[in-house]
Amino acid sequence: MTTKSIYILSIESSCDDTAAAILQNDTVLSNVIANQKIHAAYGGVVPELASREHQKNIVPVVQQALKQAGIDKKELHAIAFTKGPGLMGSLLVGVSFSKSLSIALGIPLIAVNHMQAHVLAHFINDDNQNIPQFPFLCLTISGGHTQILKVMSYNNFEILGETIDDAVGEAFDKSAKLLGLSYPGGPLIDKHAKKGNKNAFQFTKPKTKNELDFSFSGLKTAILYFLQKKVKNNPNFIKENLNDICASIQNTIVEILMHKLQLASKKTGIKHIAIAGGVSANSEIRKTLKTFENTLGWKTYIPKFEYTTDNAAMIGIVGYYKFLDKQFEDMSVSANARMKI
Ligand code: KG4
Ligand code: ZN
């Protein structure tokens, strides 16, 4: 066990957040995020615009992360960056920046899988007494991914099920768009749902060949047809029923997720259950999962709010474990938009 402090700068630029963090071993000293507001007007992330925004943001974001941590760049031991999965143009900004800085400072470069980072966010040492025990199941739910993972160790994962079409975050965001809500719509659906009746409307749940896989594209179409029919009879239907519609959509999505998670737990016999990714910020998912501690005897792990949506601290924690294993890259490393876990 080393007693020396390792300082790692981590960079996240896989989608529409430019983020940088400084970790001292497994502790976060700073965690800076520049959200790109520009996409709201388009109802979704525009890849070319995202890449340009990353180029504008990356230097100030890194400078702020160093300043907040009170660390000079010469004190850094390594740079960790998101290699994938994500948008190619966005990833390349982080990769190029990290490579240049690692050459300039003469320190190693660490490539990180974004999805592994969402899972390992649970291991950030933040007065966190609730750190998962291996093996555990992790429901990883974000704007780009929906997976149930069996996590055997820091770097040993098995995918038990995943989406065959849309990610659950997309289901939230696309439903929100149909309701005229701005992007990203997930948090807005969550907000309106709190004031609505979750049993007001019923939507059919899709079936998949592998019972642990997910499918959300059919749900989006069902919601579209439902709204078209209702609005035809009453043009103010959405406005008058917004809270109930949001609560019903959210309830359908949460029931799908929880049903699959229960199946996975039954199949594997694992009762240590974690959630990760942007959608795990959802209040109904958090609440429902907690009730399973009593009803199903689960031990659940819910990440701190700031480590659920995209951030660089989670890239830094993977960077730290890879640093200990000396898993460094040479300068031929590049981004991989479809990187697998
Ligand atoms: O992990 P993340 O920040 O980025 C990706 O890697 O995709 O996840 C973003 C997704 C978006 O789809 C957003 O709508 C969703 O997370 N999200 C939520 C909530 N907060 C964020 N979905 C439902 N309820 C929320 N409270
Ligand atoms: Zn993410």
Side-chain angles (χ1 to χ4, degrees):
M1 191 66 192
T2 173
T3 50
K4 190 181 150 206
S5 276
I6 306 296
Y7 294 107
I8 294 179
L9 164 67
S10 51
I11 311 272
E12 154 62 28
S13 72
S14 65
C15 190
D16 61 339
D17 296 303
T18 320
I22 306 288
L23 266 72
Q24 178 180 14
N25 302 333
D26 56 358
T27 304
V28 179
L29 298 183
S30 64
N31 188 27
V32 177
I33 303 177
N35 299 113
Q36 300 181 1
K37 302 271 180 288
I38 196 162
H39 306 285
Y42 301 89
V45 177
V46 184
E48 175 62 23
L49 292 180
S51 168
R52 285 190 223 172
E53 289 293 299
H54 283 307
Q55 291 186 44
K56 271 193 241 162
N57 292 340
I58 196 150
V59 171
V61 163
V62 168
Q63 276 173 340
Q64 207 182 328
L66 285 163
K67 198 172 155 200
Q68 277 182 18
I71 295 289
D72 188 276
K73 58 182 181 303
K74 294 197 185 75
E75 294 177 78
L76 294 171
H77 294 93
I79 300 171
F81 66 92
T82 306
K83 177 179 163 76
L87 300 170
M88 192 44 123
S90 291
L91 290 165
L92 283 173
V93 178
V95 178
S96 316
F97 178 89
S98 303
K99 276 185 178 179
S100 315
L101 193 59
S102 104
I103 294 171
L105 297 174
I107 55 176
L109 198 54
I110 301 167
V112 174
N113 182 307
H114 181 92
M115 299 312 293
Q116 183 184 6
H118 271 302
V119 179
L120 292 203
H122 283 280
F123 294 88
I124 291 171
N125 179 2
D126 211 5
D127 301 328
N128 181 4
Q129 305 300 317
N130 196 24
I131 288 180
Q133 279 175 25
F134 300 116
F136 64 94
L137 299 182
C138 189
L139 175 69
T140 309
I141 39 182
S142 75
H145 298 270
T146 308
Q147 294 179 326
I148 298 178
L149 300 167
K150 182 175 165 188
V151 186
M152 276 80 79
S153 72
Y154 294 116
N155 51 19
N156 189 358
F157 298 73
E158 185 190 337
I159 300 174
L160 301 181
E162 60 187 336
T163 184
I164 56 168
D165 42 54
D166 288 353
V168 62
E170 277 179 283
F172 270 107
D173 296 338
K174 288 177 178 174
S175 305
K177 197 174 173 186
L178 294 174
L179 297 171
L181 301 174
S182 60
Y183 178 86
L188 295 172
I189 292 200
D190 193 354
K191 191 180 116 194
H192 288 288
K194 287 199 176 95
K195 295 174 273 178
N197 169 10
K198 63 182 183 183
N199 298 312
F201 307 107
Q202 305 301 323
F203 301 104
T204 319
K205 298 192 184 84
K207 289 218 160 37
T208 50
K209 220 161 103 191
N210 167 6
E211 57 180 358
L212 293 183
D213 279 345
F214 299 88
S215 167
F216 287 106
S217 66
L219 180 64
K220 179 193 66 194
T221 314
I223 294 167
L224 173 68
Y225 290 156
F226 164 81
L227 291 174
Q228 280 175 343
K229 206 168 128 198
K230 293 287 188 185
V231 169
K232 215 167 149 190
N233 293 331
N234 172 11
N236 291 325
F237 177 78
I238 293 178
K239 213 169 127 198
E240 288 168 7
N241 297 279
L242 187 60
N243 295 338
D244 285 352
I245 305 170
C246 286
S248 302
I249 293 173
Q250 180 172 281
N251 181 50
T252 308
I253 294 175
V254 174
E255 279 186 352
I256 295 170
L257 295 174
M258 294 303 131
H259 172 65
K260 304 275 174 171
L261 206 44
Q262 285 184 28
L263 274 179
S265 170
K266 249 192 206 149
K267 275 194 161 180
T268 57
I270 296 174
K271 290 191 169 208
H272 286 254
I273 315 283
I275 49 169
V279 181
S280 65
N282 184 270
S283 60
E284 187 68 21
I285 294 175
R286 290 174 166 242
K287 207 170 76 190
T288 310
L289 213 50
K290 272 280 156 218
T291 65
F292 291 159
E293 297 214 328
N294 291 328
T295 55
L296 301 174
W298 285 5
K299 174 94 185 79
T300 64
Y301 305 93
I302 300 176
K304 255 182 133 177
F305 198 75
E306 62 259 46
Y307 302 137
T308 55
T309 45
D310 287 352
N311 66 86
M314 69 182 196
I315 306 301
I317 191 77
V318 181
Y320 173 63
Y321 287 113
K322 286 195 150 187
F323 186 95
L324 296 181
D325 285 348
K326 297 197 169 41
Q327 288 185 47
F328 303 135
E329 303 297 325
D330 63 31
M331 283 303 139
S332 66
V333 67
S334 191
N336 178 353
R338 297 185 167 274
M339 190 178 188
K340 295 266 181 276
I341 200 158

